[in-house]
Amino acid sequence: MSDAVINGVAGAGGGIIAQLITYPLQTVNTRQQTERDPSKSNAGDGTIKQMCQVVKQEGWRRLYGGLTPSLVGTAASQGVYYYFYQLFRDKAEAASLARQMKGVGDGSIGMLQSLVVAAFAGSVNVLMTNPIWVIVTRMQTHKKASISSENLVLAISPDEVLEDVVVEPPPYGTIDAVQELFSEAGLLGFWKGVLPTLIMVSNPSIQFMLYEAMLKKMKKKRGSNTKGAEGLAAFEIFLLGAVAKLGATVVTYPLNVVKARLQAKQALDIDRRHHYQGTWDAIRKMIRYEGLAAFYKGMRTKIVQSVLAAAVLFMVKEELVKAVKLVLNGDLRLVDKSKAKKLSR
């Protein structure tokens, strides 16, 4: 089994575990980012308090709204990304070694090359998995609706004052989302938002560039010549992943907020100041009506969610890679022993 396949499978497994652990934080963060009305903003509330509000008003299941297709998307995205990342990296390493033989360079991959490799892998991932995330977005925005008691036809008694009632929408599954999207925009609809998503490729690119740079520095300091993260403890990989994701998140967060605003459903009756026609229109209106602080809404929640998810992802992925290689090497040793016994006979 090639390293690309092993890394792809391990990346998918690590992504699923990280997603399960941090999904409630992701739900709250998306709501923070897409809140456009300052009068309704609850930015002063902590993340935990907002999570409790969601549970109280809509039920705890809303914290996991759209989880199933999101897990499919995470597994597909991580698998595709790690597969092509390893594939492109192997080619880059081969090219570096070829240049070393000609007397150029030291045979290793620099930060710029790591960035380019990660960018190529991220672009392939976006183009292949964007339809999944369009469906996930559709399902996540299909929320419960609050209807005032004044609009209810039936009441328990004329004198009773009812609070706003949360009405459960009709069942809305993956097939419903696919049919709805196809009827609205055809096949091209499944690649909605692909351009801003391609811009966001810079996040994992920066993340992996920082991770590889720190990993290389740590191995050089220890005088280790092992491949990848071999020889490092799980906690060390956890810290490397956390620091790398923190740096990438801080740099790209404003773009992430703009992307979330554009992808969220925009009601026709919304204030025109908060209705966006495109990326530049969103940036202009956010600066004009909300100020620069709007680009960092929910950043604390995002940092916690992203750093925790990335750290868990790196740790689990590297441990899975080690486990798979250990199993494969064990099988190979058994095969070699059986061959040796047959030859000795």
PDB file of all heavy atoms in Angstrom, residues 258-294:
ATOM      1  N   VAL A 258     -16.361  36.353   5.596  1.00  0.00           N
ATOM      2  CA  VAL A 258     -16.993  36.789   4.350  1.00  0.00           C
ATOM      3  C   VAL A 258     -17.602  35.595   3.618  1.00  0.00           C
ATOM      4  O   VAL A 258     -18.728  35.660   3.109  1.00  0.00           O
ATOM      5  CB  VAL A 258     -15.965  37.510   3.447  1.00  0.00           C
ATOM      6  CG1 VAL A 258     -16.572  37.805   2.076  1.00  0.00           C
ATOM      7  CG2 VAL A 258     -15.501  38.806   4.099  1.00  0.00           C
ATOM      8  N   LYS A 259     -16.878  34.485   3.575  1.00  0.00           N
ATOM      9  CA  LYS A 259     -17.382  33.277   2.907  1.00  0.00           C
ATOM     10  C   LYS A 259     -18.662  32.775   3.579  1.00  0.00           C
ATOM     11  O   LYS A 259     -19.627  32.405   2.908  1.00  0.00           O
ATOM     12  CB  LYS A 259     -16.321  32.182   2.930  1.00  0.00           C
ATOM     13  CG  LYS A 259     -16.746  30.889   2.238  1.00  0.00           C
ATOM     14  CD  LYS A 259     -15.589  29.911   2.161  1.00  0.00           C
ATOM     15  CE  LYS A 259     -15.357  29.216   3.477  1.00  0.00           C
ATOM     16  NZ  LYS A 259     -16.074  27.960   3.641  1.00  0.00           N
ATOM     17  N   ALA A 260     -18.665  32.773   4.905  1.00  0.00           N
ATOM     18  CA  ALA A 260     -19.835  32.308   5.642  1.00  0.00           C
ATOM     19  C   ALA A 260     -21.038  33.210   5.380  1.00  0.00           C
ATOM     20  O   ALA A 260     -22.166  32.737   5.205  1.00  0.00           O
ATOM     21  CB  ALA A 260     -19.538  32.267   7.142  1.00  0.00           C
ATOM     22  N   ARG A 261     -20.808  34.517   5.308  1.00  0.00           N
ATOM     23  CA  ARG A 261     -21.907  35.468   5.033  1.00  0.00           C
ATOM     24  C   ARG A 261     -22.514  35.218   3.649  1.00  0.00           C
ATOM     25  O   ARG A 261     -23.712  35.280   3.461  1.00  0.00           O
ATOM     26  CB  ARG A 261     -21.375  36.901   5.102  1.00  0.00           C
ATOM     27  CG  ARG A 261     -20.886  37.341   6.480  1.00  0.00           C
ATOM     28  CD  ARG A 261     -22.000  37.861   7.338  1.00  0.00           C
ATOM     29  NE  ARG A 261     -21.519  38.361   8.615  1.00  0.00           N
ATOM     30  CZ  ARG A 261     -21.577  39.634   8.986  1.00  0.00           C
ATOM     31  NH1 ARG A 261     -22.051  40.552   8.163  1.00  0.00           N
ATOM     32  NH2 ARG A 261     -21.160  39.992  10.183  1.00  0.00           N
ATOM     33  N   LEU A 262     -21.643  34.958   2.672  1.00  0.00           N
ATOM     34  CA  LEU A 262     -22.119  34.759   1.302  1.00  0.00           C
ATOM     35  C   LEU A 262     -22.858  33.433   1.146  1.00  0.00           C
ATOM     36  O   LEU A 262     -23.818  33.339   0.383  1.00  0.00           O
ATOM     37  CB  LEU A 262     -20.941  34.814   0.330  1.00  0.00           C
ATOM     38  CG  LEU A 262     -20.270  36.176   0.155  1.00  0.00           C
ATOM     39  CD1 LEU A 262     -18.983  36.035  -0.643  1.00  0.00           C
ATOM     40  CD2 LEU A 262     -21.216  37.160  -0.526  1.00  0.00           C
ATOM     41  N   GLN A 263     -22.413  32.401   1.851  1.00  0.00           N
ATOM     42  CA  GLN A 263     -23.021  31.083   1.702  1.00  0.00           C
ATOM     43  C   GLN A 263     -24.309  30.936   2.496  1.00  0.00           C
ATOM     44  O   GLN A 263     -25.147  30.097   2.162  1.00  0.00           O
ATOM     45  CB  GLN A 263     -22.029  29.996   2.136  1.00  0.00           C
ATOM     46  CG  GLN A 263     -20.858  29.855   1.183  1.00  0.00           C
ATOM     47  CD  GLN A 263     -19.922  28.737   1.577  1.00  0.00           C
ATOM     48  OE1 GLN A 263     -19.909  28.286   2.717  1.00  0.00           O
ATOM     49  NE2 GLN A 263     -19.127  28.273   0.631  1.00  0.00           N
ATOM     50  N   ALA A 264     -24.477  31.727   3.552  1.00  0.00           N
ATOM     51  CA  ALA A 264     -25.697  31.649   4.353  1.00  0.00           C
ATOM     52  C   ALA A 264     -26.889  32.143   3.539  1.00  0.00           C
ATOM     53  O   ALA A 264     -26.756  33.004   2.665  1.00  0.00           O
ATOM     54  CB  ALA A 264     -25.549  32.486   5.619  1.00  0.00           C
ATOM     55  N   LYS A 265     -28.061  31.581   3.829  1.00  0.00           N
ATOM     56  CA  LYS A 265     -29.275  31.963   3.122  1.00  0.00           C
ATOM     57  C   LYS A 265     -29.623  33.412   3.428  1.00  0.00           C
ATOM     58  O   LYS A 265     -29.653  33.829   4.580  1.00  0.00           O
ATOM     59  CB  LYS A 265     -30.427  31.045   3.530  1.00  0.00           C
ATOM     60  CG  LYS A 265     -31.696  31.273   2.732  1.00  0.00           C
ATOM     61  CD  LYS A 265     -32.763  30.258   3.125  1.00  0.00           C
ATOM     62  CE  LYS A 265     -34.038  30.448   2.309  1.00  0.00           C
ATOM     63  NZ  LYS A 265     -35.078  29.461   2.680  1.00  0.00           N
ATOM     64  N   GLN A 266     -29.903  34.187   2.388  1.00  0.00           N
ATOM     65  CA  GLN A 266     -30.244  35.596   2.552  1.00  0.00           C
ATOM     66  C   GLN A 266     -31.718  35.799   2.232  1.00  0.00           C
ATOM     67  O   GLN A 266     -32.131  35.680   1.077  1.00  0.00           O
ATOM     68  CB  GLN A 266     -29.381  36.473   1.638  1.00  0.00           C
ATOM     69  CG  GLN A 266     -27.886  36.311   1.893  1.00  0.00           C
ATOM     70  CD  GLN A 266     -27.058  37.302   1.086  1.00  0.00           C
ATOM     71  OE1 GLN A 266     -27.150  38.503   1.286  1.00  0.00           O
ATOM     72  NE2 GLN A 266     -26.255  36.786   0.187  1.00  0.00           N
ATOM     73  N   ALA A 267     -32.492  36.087   3.265  1.00  0.00           N
ATOM     74  CA  ALA A 267     -33.930  36.272   3.085  1.00  0.00           C
ATOM     75  C   ALA A 267     -34.215  37.526   2.260  1.00  0.00           C
ATOM     76  O   ALA A 267     -33.446  38.497   2.282  1.00  0.00           O
ATOM     77  CB  ALA A 267     -34.621  36.377   4.448  1.00  0.00           C
ATOM     78  N   LEU A 268     -35.321  37.495   1.535  1.00  0.00           N
ATOM     79  CA  LEU A 268     -35.670  38.631   0.674  1.00  0.00           C
ATOM     80  C   LEU A 268     -36.023  39.878   1.481  1.00  0.00           C
ATOM     81  O   LEU A 268     -35.854  41.004   1.009  1.00  0.00           O
ATOM     82  CB  LEU A 268     -36.851  38.249  -0.229  1.00  0.00           C
ATOM     83  CG  LEU A 268     -36.572  37.130  -1.239  1.00  0.00           C
ATOM     84  CD1 LEU A 268     -37.845  36.792  -2.011  1.00  0.00           C
ATOM     85  CD2 LEU A 268     -35.455  37.527  -2.207  1.00  0.00           C
ATOM     86  N   ASP A 269     -36.546  39.677   2.715  1.00  0.00           N
ATOM     87  CA  ASP A 269     -36.974  40.813   3.515  1.00  0.00           C
ATOM     88  C   ASP A 269     -35.865  41.349   4.425  1.00  0.00           C
ATOM     89  O   ASP A 269     -36.107  42.181   5.289  1.00  0.00           O
ATOM     90  CB  ASP A 269     -38.180  40.425   4.384  1.00  0.00           C
ATOM     91  CG  ASP A 269     -37.876  39.248   5.298  1.00  0.00           C
ATOM     92  OD1 ASP A 269     -36.837  38.598   5.093  1.00  0.00           O
ATOM     93  OD2 ASP A 269     -38.687  38.981   6.212  1.00  0.00           O
ATOM     94  N   ILE A 270     -34.633  40.896   4.222  1.00  0.00           N
ATOM     95  CA  ILE A 270     -33.524  41.328   5.059  1.00  0.00           C
ATOM     96  C   ILE A 270     -33.147  42.770   4.723  1.00  0.00           C
ATOM     97  O   ILE A 270     -33.379  43.250   3.610  1.00  0.00           O
ATOM     98  CB  ILE A 270     -32.310  40.394   4.857  1.00  0.00           C
ATOM     99  CG1 ILE A 270     -31.277  40.604   5.967  1.00  0.00           C
ATOM    100  CG2 ILE A 270     -31.648  40.640   3.514  1.00  0.00           C
ATOM    101  CD1 ILE A 270     -30.145  39.604   5.917  1.00  0.00           C
ATOM    102  N   ASP A 271     -32.601  43.477   5.714  1.00  0.00           N
ATOM    103  CA  ASP A 271     -32.127  44.847   5.524  1.00  0.00           C
ATOM    104  C   ASP A 271     -31.122  44.858   4.369  1.00  0.00           C
ATOM    105  O   ASP A 271     -30.176  44.081   4.345  1.00  0.00           O
ATOM    106  CB  ASP A 271     -31.459  45.325   6.817  1.00  0.00           C
ATOM    107  CG  ASP A 271     -31.123  46.813   6.784  1.00  0.00           C
ATOM    108  OD1 ASP A 271     -30.950  47.365   5.681  1.00  0.00           O
ATOM    109  OD2 ASP A 271     -31.038  47.410   7.872  1.00  0.00           O
ATOM    110  N   ARG A 272     -31.335  45.773   3.404  1.00  0.00           N
ATOM    111  CA  ARG A 272     -30.471  45.805   2.214  1.00  0.00           C
ATOM    112  C   ARG A 272     -29.017  46.079   2.572  1.00  0.00           C
ATOM    113  O   ARG A 272     -28.113  45.753   1.823  1.00  0.00           O
ATOM    114  CB  ARG A 272     -30.959  46.888   1.239  1.00  0.00           C
ATOM    115  CG  ARG A 272     -32.404  46.721   0.785  1.00  0.00           C
ATOM    116  CD  ARG A 272     -32.661  45.363   0.162  1.00  0.00           C
ATOM    117  NE  ARG A 272     -31.877  45.141  -1.042  1.00  0.00           N
ATOM    118  CZ  ARG A 272     -31.887  44.018  -1.747  1.00  0.00           C
ATOM    119  NH1 ARG A 272     -32.625  42.997  -1.344  1.00  0.00           N
ATOM    120  NH2 ARG A 272     -31.155  43.890  -2.832  1.00  0.00           N
ATOM    121  N   ARG A 273     -28.774  46.668   3.725  1.00  0.00           N
ATOM    122  CA  ARG A 273     -27.395  46.926   4.150  1.00  0.00           C
ATOM    123  C   ARG A 273     -26.647  45.632   4.435  1.00  0.00           C
ATOM    124  O   ARG A 273     -25.418  45.604   4.416  1.00  0.00           O
ATOM    125  CB  ARG A 273     -27.382  47.810   5.404  1.00  0.00           C
ATOM    126  CG  ARG A 273     -27.924  49.218   5.186  1.00  0.00           C
ATOM    127  CD  ARG A 273     -27.944  49.981   6.490  1.00  0.00           C
ATOM    128  NE  ARG A 273     -28.775  49.312   7.499  1.00  0.00           N
ATOM    129  CZ  ARG A 273     -28.887  49.704   8.770  1.00  0.00           C
ATOM    130  NH1 ARG A 273     -28.185  50.741   9.190  1.00  0.00           N
ATOM    131  NH2 ARG A 273     -29.680  49.070   9.604  1.00  0.00           N
ATOM    132  N   HIS A 274     -27.417  44.589   4.717  1.00  0.00           N
ATOM    133  CA  HIS A 274     -26.809  43.306   5.053  1.00  0.00           C
ATOM    134  C   HIS A 274     -27.118  42.240   4.005  1.00  0.00           C
ATOM    135  O   HIS A 274     -26.981  41.044   4.266  1.00  0.00           O
ATOM    136  CB  HIS A 274     -27.294  42.848   6.422  1.00  0.00           C
ATOM    137  CG  HIS A 274     -27.092  43.856   7.505  1.00  0.00           C
ATOM    138  ND1 HIS A 274     -25.843  44.324   7.856  1.00  0.00           N
ATOM    139  CD2 HIS A 274     -27.980  44.516   8.299  1.00  0.00           C
ATOM    140  CE1 HIS A 274     -25.963  45.213   8.830  1.00  0.00           C
ATOM    141  NE2 HIS A 274     -27.250  45.346   9.116  1.00  0.00           N
ATOM    142  N   HIS A 275     -27.529  42.680   2.825  1.00  0.00           N
ATOM    143  CA  HIS A 275     -27.800  41.762   1.716  1.00  0.00           C
ATOM    144  C   HIS A 275     -26.664  41.907   0.711  1.00  0.00           C
ATOM    145  O   HIS A 275     -26.452  42.979   0.155  1.00  0.00           O
ATOM    146  CB  HIS A 275     -29.142  42.089   1.063  1.00  0.00           C
ATOM    147  CG  HIS A 275     -29.633  40.992   0.167  1.00  0.00           C
ATOM    148  ND1 HIS A 275     -29.127  40.785  -1.093  1.00  0.00           N
ATOM    149  CD2 HIS A 275     -30.585  40.043   0.353  1.00  0.00           C
ATOM    150  CE1 HIS A 275     -29.743  39.763  -1.648  1.00  0.00           C
ATOM    151  NE2 HIS A 275     -30.623  39.284  -0.787  1.00  0.00           N
ATOM    152  N   TYR A 276     -25.916  40.826   0.459  1.00  0.00           N
ATOM    153  CA  TYR A 276     -24.698  40.913  -0.325  1.00  0.00           C
ATOM    154  C   TYR A 276     -24.873  40.329  -1.723  1.00  0.00           C
ATOM    155  O   TYR A 276     -25.454  39.255  -1.894  1.00  0.00           O
ATOM    156  CB  TYR A 276     -23.560  40.180   0.396  1.00  0.00           C
ATOM    157  CG  TYR A 276     -23.438  40.555   1.856  1.00  0.00           C
ATOM    158  CD1 TYR A 276     -23.398  39.574   2.847  1.00  0.00           C
ATOM    159  CD2 TYR A 276     -23.377  41.883   2.248  1.00  0.00           C
ATOM    160  CE1 TYR A 276     -23.286  39.904   4.182  1.00  0.00           C
ATOM    161  CE2 TYR A 276     -23.266  42.229   3.582  1.00  0.00           C
ATOM    162  CZ  TYR A 276     -23.221  41.240   4.552  1.00  0.00           C
ATOM    163  OH  TYR A 276     -23.119  41.581   5.876  1.00  0.00           O
ATOM    164  N   GLN A 277     -24.325  41.047  -2.706  1.00  0.00           N
ATOM    165  CA  GLN A 277     -24.373  40.604  -4.096  1.00  0.00           C
ATOM    166  C   GLN A 277     -23.135  39.810  -4.495  1.00  0.00           C
ATOM    167  O   GLN A 277     -23.137  39.098  -5.489  1.00  0.00           O
ATOM    168  CB  GLN A 277     -24.515  41.823  -5.023  1.00  0.00           C
ATOM    169  CG  GLN A 277     -25.748  42.660  -4.747  1.00  0.00           C
ATOM    170  CD  GLN A 277     -27.035  41.886  -4.962  1.00  0.00           C
ATOM    171  OE1 GLN A 277     -27.118  41.043  -5.868  1.00  0.00           O
ATOM    172  NE2 GLN A 277     -28.040  42.144  -4.141  1.00  0.00           N
ATOM    173  N   GLY A 278     -22.081  39.940  -3.734  1.00  0.00           N
ATOM    174  CA  GLY A 278     -20.850  39.239  -4.048  1.00  0.00           C
ATOM    175  C   GLY A 278     -19.799  39.513  -2.996  1.00  0.00           C
ATOM    176  O   GLY A 278     -20.059  40.179  -1.984  1.00  0.00           O
ATOM    177  N   THR A 279     -18.591  39.031  -3.232  1.00  0.00           N
ATOM    178  CA  THR A 279     -17.518  39.148  -2.246  1.00  0.00           C
ATOM    179  C   THR A 279     -17.187  40.595  -1.926  1.00  0.00           C
ATOM    180  O   THR A 279     -17.145  41.000  -0.761  1.00  0.00           O
ATOM    181  CB  THR A 279     -16.251  38.427  -2.752  1.00  0.00           C
ATOM    182  OG1 THR A 279     -16.561  37.058  -3.017  1.00  0.00           O
ATOM    183  CG2 THR A 279     -15.139  38.510  -1.713  1.00  0.00           C
ATOM    184  N   TRP A 280     -16.931  41.401  -2.964  1.00  0.00           N
ATOM    185  CA  TRP A 280     -16.541  42.793  -2.730  1.00  0.00           C
ATOM    186  C   TRP A 280     -17.685  43.596  -2.145  1.00  0.00           C
ATOM    187  O   TRP A 280     -17.459  44.498  -1.318  1.00  0.00           O
ATOM    188  CB  TRP A 280     -16.039  43.429  -4.027  1.00  0.00           C
ATOM    189  CG  TRP A 280     -14.733  42.874  -4.479  1.00  0.00           C
ATOM    190  CD1 TRP A 280     -14.484  42.110  -5.585  1.00  0.00           C
ATOM    191  CD2 TRP A 280     -13.470  43.002  -3.802  1.00  0.00           C
ATOM    192  NE1 TRP A 280     -13.160  41.752  -5.645  1.00  0.00           N
ATOM    193  CE2 TRP A 280     -12.511  42.287  -4.564  1.00  0.00           C
ATOM    194  CE3 TRP A 280     -13.067  43.636  -2.631  1.00  0.00           C
ATOM    195  CZ2 TRP A 280     -11.176  42.204  -4.189  1.00  0.00           C
ATOM    196  CZ3 TRP A 280     -11.730  43.546  -2.253  1.00  0.00           C
ATOM    197  CH2 TRP A 280     -10.803  42.849  -3.032  1.00  0.00           C
ATOM    198  N   ASP A 281     -18.913  43.288  -2.532  1.00  0.00           N
ATOM    199  CA  ASP A 281     -20.079  43.971  -1.971  1.00  0.00           C
ATOM    200  C   ASP A 281     -20.193  43.661  -0.481  1.00  0.00           C
ATOM    201  O   ASP A 281     -20.504  44.544   0.334  1.00  0.00           O
ATOM    202  CB  ASP A 281     -21.349  43.528  -2.703  1.00  0.00           C
ATOM    203  CG  ASP A 281     -22.585  44.293  -2.254  1.00  0.00           C
ATOM    204  OD1 ASP A 281     -22.523  45.539  -2.213  1.00  0.00           O
ATOM    205  OD2 ASP A 281     -23.596  43.649  -1.931  1.00  0.00           O
ATOM    206  N   ALA A 282     -19.935  42.407  -0.111  1.00  0.00           N
ATOM    207  CA  ALA A 282     -19.994  42.011   1.298  1.00  0.00           C
ATOM    208  C   ALA A 282     -18.913  42.729   2.101  1.00  0.00           C
ATOM    209  O   ALA A 282     -19.189  43.255   3.194  1.00  0.00           O
ATOM    210  CB  ALA A 282     -19.827  40.502   1.424  1.00  0.00           C
ATOM    211  N   ILE A 283     -17.695  42.772   1.574  1.00  0.00           N
ATOM    212  CA  ILE A 283     -16.592  43.439   2.275  1.00  0.00           C
ATOM    213  C   ILE A 283     -16.898  44.917   2.464  1.00  0.00           C
ATOM    214  O   ILE A 283     -16.711  45.482   3.554  1.00  0.00           O
ATOM    215  CB  ILE A 283     -15.272  43.256   1.499  1.00  0.00           C
ATOM    216  CG1 ILE A 283     -14.855  41.774   1.511  1.00  0.00           C
ATOM    217  CG2 ILE A 283     -14.171  44.127   2.093  1.00  0.00           C
ATOM    218  CD1 ILE A 283     -13.656  41.463   0.645  1.00  0.00           C
ATOM    219  N   ARG A 284     -17.392  45.565   1.392  1.00  0.00           N
ATOM    220  CA  ARG A 284     -17.680  47.003   1.457  1.00  0.00           C
ATOM    221  C   ARG A 284     -18.765  47.311   2.481  1.00  0.00           C
ATOM    222  O   ARG A 284     -18.632  48.234   3.301  1.00  0.00           O
ATOM    223  CB  ARG A 284     -18.110  47.485   0.066  1.00  0.00           C
ATOM    224  CG  ARG A 284     -18.432  48.968  -0.017  1.00  0.00           C
ATOM    225  CD  ARG A 284     -18.813  49.342  -1.436  1.00  0.00           C
ATOM    226  NE  ARG A 284     -20.011  48.634  -1.879  1.00  0.00           N
ATOM    227  CZ  ARG A 284     -21.256  49.032  -1.596  1.00  0.00           C
ATOM    228  NH1 ARG A 284     -21.462  50.126  -0.856  1.00  0.00           N
ATOM    229  NH2 ARG A 284     -22.288  48.352  -2.050  1.00  0.00           N
ATOM    230  N   LYS A 285     -19.854  46.537   2.464  1.00  0.00           N
ATOM    231  CA  LYS A 285     -20.968  46.783   3.384  1.00  0.00           C
ATOM    232  C   LYS A 285     -20.604  46.445   4.821  1.00  0.00           C
ATOM    233  O   LYS A 285     -21.053  47.119   5.753  1.00  0.00           O
ATOM    234  CB  LYS A 285     -22.196  45.994   2.928  1.00  0.00           C
ATOM    235  CG  LYS A 285     -22.848  46.544   1.672  1.00  0.00           C
ATOM    236  CD  LYS A 285     -24.082  45.748   1.274  1.00  0.00           C
ATOM    237  CE  LYS A 285     -24.758  46.371   0.056  1.00  0.00           C
ATOM    238  NZ  LYS A 285     -25.935  45.602  -0.395  1.00  0.00           N
ATOM    239  N   MET A 286     -19.808  45.414   5.008  1.00  0.00           N
ATOM    240  CA  MET A 286     -19.395  45.064   6.372  1.00  0.00           C
ATOM    241  C   MET A 286     -18.541  46.170   6.975  1.00  0.00           C
ATOM    242  O   MET A 286     -18.703  46.533   8.149  1.00  0.00           O
ATOM    243  CB  MET A 286     -18.629  43.740   6.363  1.00  0.00           C
ATOM    244  CG  MET A 286     -19.517  42.522   6.133  1.00  0.00           C
ATOM    245  SD  MET A 286     -18.575  40.989   5.896  1.00  0.00           S
ATOM    246  CE  MET A 286     -17.863  40.794   7.536  1.00  0.00           C
ATOM    247  N   ILE A 287     -17.623  46.735   6.179  1.00  0.00           N
ATOM    248  CA  ILE A 287     -16.785  47.829   6.674  1.00  0.00           C
ATOM    249  C   ILE A 287     -17.626  49.071   6.950  1.00  0.00           C
ATOM    250  O   ILE A 287     -17.466  49.732   7.985  1.00  0.00           O
ATOM    251  CB  ILE A 287     -15.680  48.155   5.649  1.00  0.00           C
ATOM    252  CG1 ILE A 287     -14.696  46.982   5.534  1.00  0.00           C
ATOM    253  CG2 ILE A 287     -14.936  49.432   6.053  1.00  0.00           C
ATOM    254  CD1 ILE A 287     -13.650  47.165   4.462  1.00  0.00           C
ATOM    255  N   ARG A 288     -18.562  49.360   6.044  1.00  0.00           N
ATOM    256  CA  ARG A 288     -19.355  50.587   6.157  1.00  0.00           C
ATOM    257  C   ARG A 288     -20.352  50.554   7.304  1.00  0.00           C
ATOM    258  O   ARG A 288     -20.489  51.534   8.044  1.00  0.00           O
ATOM    259  CB  ARG A 288     -20.093  50.836   4.835  1.00  0.00           C
ATOM    260  CG  ARG A 288     -20.928  52.110   4.839  1.00  0.00           C
ATOM    261  CD  ARG A 288     -21.569  52.344   3.495  1.00  0.00           C
ATOM    262  NE  ARG A 288     -22.369  53.570   3.478  1.00  0.00           N
ATOM    263  CZ  ARG A 288     -23.080  53.990   2.442  1.00  0.00           C
ATOM    264  NH1 ARG A 288     -23.082  53.279   1.307  1.00  0.00           N
ATOM    265  NH2 ARG A 288     -23.776  55.108   2.504  1.00  0.00           N
ATOM    266  N   TYR A 289     -21.050  49.429   7.465  1.00  0.00           N
ATOM    267  CA  TYR A 289     -22.148  49.372   8.429  1.00  0.00           C
ATOM    268  C   TYR A 289     -21.802  48.668   9.743  1.00  0.00           C
ATOM    269  O   TYR A 289     -22.505  48.849  10.740  1.00  0.00           O
ATOM    270  CB  TYR A 289     -23.362  48.676   7.805  1.00  0.00           C
ATOM    271  CG  TYR A 289     -23.890  49.390   6.582  1.00  0.00           C
ATOM    272  CD1 TYR A 289     -23.848  48.792   5.330  1.00  0.00           C
ATOM    273  CD2 TYR A 289     -24.427  50.668   6.683  1.00  0.00           C
ATOM    274  CE1 TYR A 289     -24.333  49.454   4.197  1.00  0.00           C
ATOM    275  CE2 TYR A 289     -24.907  51.340   5.564  1.00  0.00           C
ATOM    276  CZ  TYR A 289     -24.853  50.728   4.326  1.00  0.00           C
ATOM    277  OH  TYR A 289     -25.327  51.383   3.209  1.00  0.00           O
ATOM    278  N   GLU A 290     -20.733  47.884   9.763  1.00  0.00           N
ATOM    279  CA  GLU A 290     -20.402  47.148  10.987  1.00  0.00           C
ATOM    280  C   GLU A 290     -18.998  47.401  11.499  1.00  0.00           C
ATOM    281  O   GLU A 290     -18.682  47.077  12.642  1.00  0.00           O
ATOM    282  CB  GLU A 290     -20.594  45.642  10.763  1.00  0.00           C
ATOM    283  CG  GLU A 290     -22.007  45.242  10.385  1.00  0.00           C
ATOM    284  CD  GLU A 290     -22.125  43.751  10.120  1.00  0.00           C
ATOM    285  OE1 GLU A 290     -21.942  42.966  11.069  1.00  0.00           O
ATOM    286  OE2 GLU A 290     -22.384  43.367   8.959  1.00  0.00           O
ATOM    287  N   GLY A 291     -18.140  47.976  10.639  1.00  0.00           N
ATOM    288  CA  GLY A 291     -16.768  48.228  11.050  1.00  0.00           C
ATOM    289  C   GLY A 291     -15.871  47.019  10.867  1.00  0.00           C
ATOM    290  O   GLY A 291     -16.317  45.916  10.567  1.00  0.00           O
ATOM    291  N   LEU A 292     -14.578  47.224  11.074  1.00  0.00           N
ATOM    292  CA  LEU A 292     -13.608  46.158  10.880  1.00  0.00           C
ATOM    293  C   LEU A 292     -13.807  45.000  11.852  1.00  0.00           C
ATOM    294  O   LEU A 292     -13.416  43.859  11.567  1.00  0.00           O
ATOM    295  CB  LEU A 292     -12.186  46.718  11.028  1.00  0.00           C
ATOM    296  CG  LEU A 292     -11.728  47.702   9.942  1.00  0.00           C
ATOM    297  CD1 LEU A 292     -10.348  48.249  10.274  1.00  0.00           C
ATOM    298  CD2 LEU A 292     -11.701  47.011   8.575  1.00  0.00           C
ATOM    299  N   ALA A 293     -14.432  45.290  13.002  1.00  0.00           N
ATOM    300  CA  ALA A 293     -14.636  44.238  14.005  1.00  0.00           C
ATOM    301  C   ALA A 293     -15.525  43.115  13.469  1.00  0.00           C
ATOM    302  O   ALA A 293     -15.458  41.979  13.954  1.00  0.00           O
ATOM    303  CB  ALA A 293     -15.267  44.832  15.263  1.00  0.00           C
ATOM    304  N   ALA A 294     -16.359  43.427  12.458  1.00  0.00           N
ATOM    305  CA  ALA A 294     -17.251  42.409  11.893  1.00  0.00           C
ATOM    306  C   ALA A 294     -16.481  41.249  11.277  1.00  0.00           C
ATOM    307  O   ALA A 294     -16.967  40.121  11.230  1.00  0.00           O
ATOM    308  CB  ALA A 294     -18.159  43.041  10.834  1.00  0.00           C
TER     309      ALA A 294
END
